[in-house]
Amino acid sequence: MSVWKKQIGGDHYRKYKLQPSRFVTENKLLYPEGCVIKYVIRHQDKGGKQDLLKAKHYIDMAIYRDYPEKVKEINKEKKNSW
């Protein structure tokens, strides 16, 4: 059996033509982007709203990593709005 056709601990990814882990691996995505894909895909079958919040958290990580100047602007705006 191919490594991509099995899943340990559930079957919520097996219904897809391409498992998220294979998509992430074949496209050489970084960890946060891979997690976003994983949590968005599974939220209806496993973790619900919590999975979407996790995806959002990983998006914030990618923004912080790739656009630090935008993070500083956002934090400055938040301080000024209090």
Side-chain angles (χ1 to χ4, degrees), residues 12 39 42-52 54:
H12 46 281
Y39 287 121
R42 79 179 203 181
H43 81 93
Q44 292 179 334
D45 299 318
K46 189 171 181 194
K49 180 181 176 182
Q50 185 178 37
D51 276 352
L52 292 176
K54 288 178 182 181

Side-chain angles (χ1 to χ4, degrees), residues 23-53:
F23 178 83
V24 168
T25 301
E26 290 186 6
N27 288 284
K28 297 179 174 48
L29 298 180
L30 297 175
Y31 186 76
E33 288 83 346
C35 289
V36 169
I37 290 168
K38 173 181 78 168
Y39 287 121
V40 167
I41 285 176
R42 79 179 203 181
H43 81 93
Q44 292 179 334
D45 299 318
K46 189 171 181 194
K49 180 181 176 182
Q50 185 178 37
D51 276 352
L52 292 176
L53 291 171

Side-chain angles (χ1 to χ4, degrees), residues 2 4-5 17-27:
S2 166
W4 304 113
K5 297 226 183 258
K17 289 183 181 182
L18 187 64
Q19 285 199 29
S21 57
R22 186 172 186 176
F23 178 83
V24 168
T25 301
E26 290 186 6
N27 288 284

